[in-house]
Amino acid sequence: FCLMAVPGKVAAFRLPPLPTVGEIIKLFRLKAQKQLSQNFLLDLRLTDKIVRQAGELKNAHVCEVGPGPGGITRSILSAGVEQLLLIEKDARFIPGLQMLSEAAPGKVRIVHGDILTYKMEKAFPKHLKKNWEDEPPDIHIIGNLPFSVSTPLIIKWLENVSKKDGPFIYGRTQMTLTFQKEVAERLTANPGGKQRSRLSIMSQHLCTVENCFVIPGQAFVPKPEVDVAVVRFTPLVQPKIQQPFELVEKVVQSVFQFRRKYCFRGIETLFPESGRLKRTEQLMMTANVDPTLRPFQLSMSQFRNLCNTYRKMCDEDPGLFVYNYREELRQKKLMRNLQKSTSQRNQTEEEDQL
């Protein structure tokens, strides 16, 4: 690589001439696999635009998730990063990424692994760590995520934000990621919006979430049936709901379990059948939440009140948090089936005696 001196400007990093991303795909006979929901972005103007959303990357440390044939990778390197960590699950892409690594000596580290299981606590140098209250560290996570991975991955990372571990052991690490347009709308939906969902609450109570721009499906190869949106996350210094991640997730999941019904219907599922109605009324009155609101109408402060009140109820009854509504339903179904088979067996025995 070479450092090109530009009059009046800081010298910028330039990659040497390389095969285009399209040529790399042909050279290594790469084909997007439908079962892995892979879609390649070949337009470098768009990959540059994605990378610009991450902010100033000069001398930053970046982790790119699922670089594939390396379109976004080139844009990240052109932004003048100090170090780039590439985590790629599909071994077919490694040779093409190694070609990029050789074009930028000392800048690129390639890991052949799964981002869902990769330990990011040691991914970056210790000296980059910042206190949580400080400005975000000079670390960024960027990725054009496969649709099949995007939701479980962001939930995993939100849990990491809540616990300040994983990639957030370094401070309030920022993320710039792609999602299906519909998922991006859920992540950023406001109270009352038709896309308001569990994802809206779980992401917005922990991060500032920005829907940056939409990329039309035809920009990708192969063309997905949906458009794609670029979303940027910056962890908040103080979460809007100051309760453990698991408790917030349980309350939010319960509320949205019956999305089209009144919110008390979902809240009921937090409690065992015996005493369910009384405890549901107690929770909603103490939290000052109107039981006839729909789940998507609830504000963040109302979710905070519900979580805080539910926490007090769990503290008073330690067995409450482990209660599982679906498990109770399953046990009831098993009992009904058992009683039915016992009744049928008794009836058969009586008929035999007759």
Side-chain angles (χ1 to χ4, degrees), residues 149-165:
V149 171
S150 60
T151 302
L153 184 56
I154 196 58
I155 288 291
K156 177 181 185 289
W157 276 339
L158 288 170
E159 184 171 3
N160 290 145
V161 171
S162 176
K163 296 176 179 176
K164 300 177 184 173
D165 60 11

Side-chain angles (χ1 to χ4, degrees), residues 154 173-175 177 179 187 203 207-209 231-235:
I154 196 58
T173 301
Q174 295 173 293
M175 303 182 284
L177 307 166
F179 296 87
L187 286 162
S203 57
C207 297
T208 300
V209 192
V231 182
R232 180 172 170 168
F233 301 81
T234 306

Side-chain angles (χ1 to χ4, degrees), residues 189-345:
N190 293 318
K194 63 178 182 178
Q195 296 287 13
R196 186 77 162 174
S197 67
R198 173 181 74 120
L199 270 181
S200 317
I201 310 303
M202 297 310 295
S203 57
Q204 292 171 35
H205 105 84
L206 290 162
C207 297
T208 300
V209 192
E210 303 163 77
N211 194 338
C212 301
F213 68 97
V214 174
I215 305 172
Q218 60 258 34
F220 293 85
V221 178
K223 177 184 175 294
E225 293 176 6
V226 293
D227 292 338
V228 172
V230 177
V231 182
R232 180 172 170 168
F233 301 81
T234 306
L236 295 165
V237 173
Q238 289 288 347
K240 291 179 181 171
I241 304 172
Q242 296 194 25
Q243 294 294 350
F245 184 87
E246 293 83 359
L247 185 140
V248 178
E249 188 172 41
K250 185 178 183 184
V251 171
V252 173
Q253 275 183 332
S254 297
V255 171
F256 280 102
Q257 193 163 180
F258 302 102
R259 170 177 181 82
R260 296 181 184 279
K261 299 189 176 180
Y262 293 143
C263 64
F264 81 83
R265 181 67 189 87
I267 289 168
E268 282 184 325
T269 64
L270 289 167
F271 304 107
E273 191 172 22
S274 59
R276 176 173 288 157
L277 188 60
K278 185 181 177 184
R279 295 175 100 175
T280 302
E281 287 174 355
Q282 179 192 343
L283 172 56
M284 302 211 72
M285 282 181 66
T286 309
N288 193 26
V289 173
D290 180 349
T292 62
L293 289 173
R294 310 285 179 187
F296 57 87
Q297 293 176 307
L298 297 185
S299 67
M300 187 64 76
S301 63
Q302 287 171 316
F303 273 105
R304 179 172 60 241
N305 291 349
L306 287 170
C307 290
N308 290 344
T309 307
Y310 179 65
R311 171 67 184 269
K312 285 177 186 170
M313 295 173 84
C314 289
D315 289 344
E316 290 164 9
D317 177 3
L320 181 58
F321 185 70
V322 295
Y323 165 72
N324 186 308
Y325 173 72
R326 292 188 183 279
E327 180 60 24
E328 186 178 58
L329 285 182
R330 196 177 71 83
Q331 291 295 338
K332 282 173 70 176
K333 188 177 179 182
L334 281 173
M335 285 298 294
R336 279 198 304 270
N337 290 341
L338 188 63
Q339 288 167 354
K340 190 177 178 182
S341 63
T342 303
S343 173
Q344 287 171 343
R345 190 166 63 246

Side-chain angles (χ1 to χ4, degrees), residues 1 13 57-62 76-77 79-85 104-109 125 127-128 138:
F1 70 98
F13 175 79
L57 294 184
K58 184 152 183 64
N59 300 324
H61 288 247
V62 176
I76 295 170
L77 286 170
V81 298
E82 179 74 20
Q83 284 287 322
L84 175 56
L85 169 64
K107 281 189 177 285
V108 180
R109 183 157 58 97
H127 74 265
L128 295 172
D138 221 0

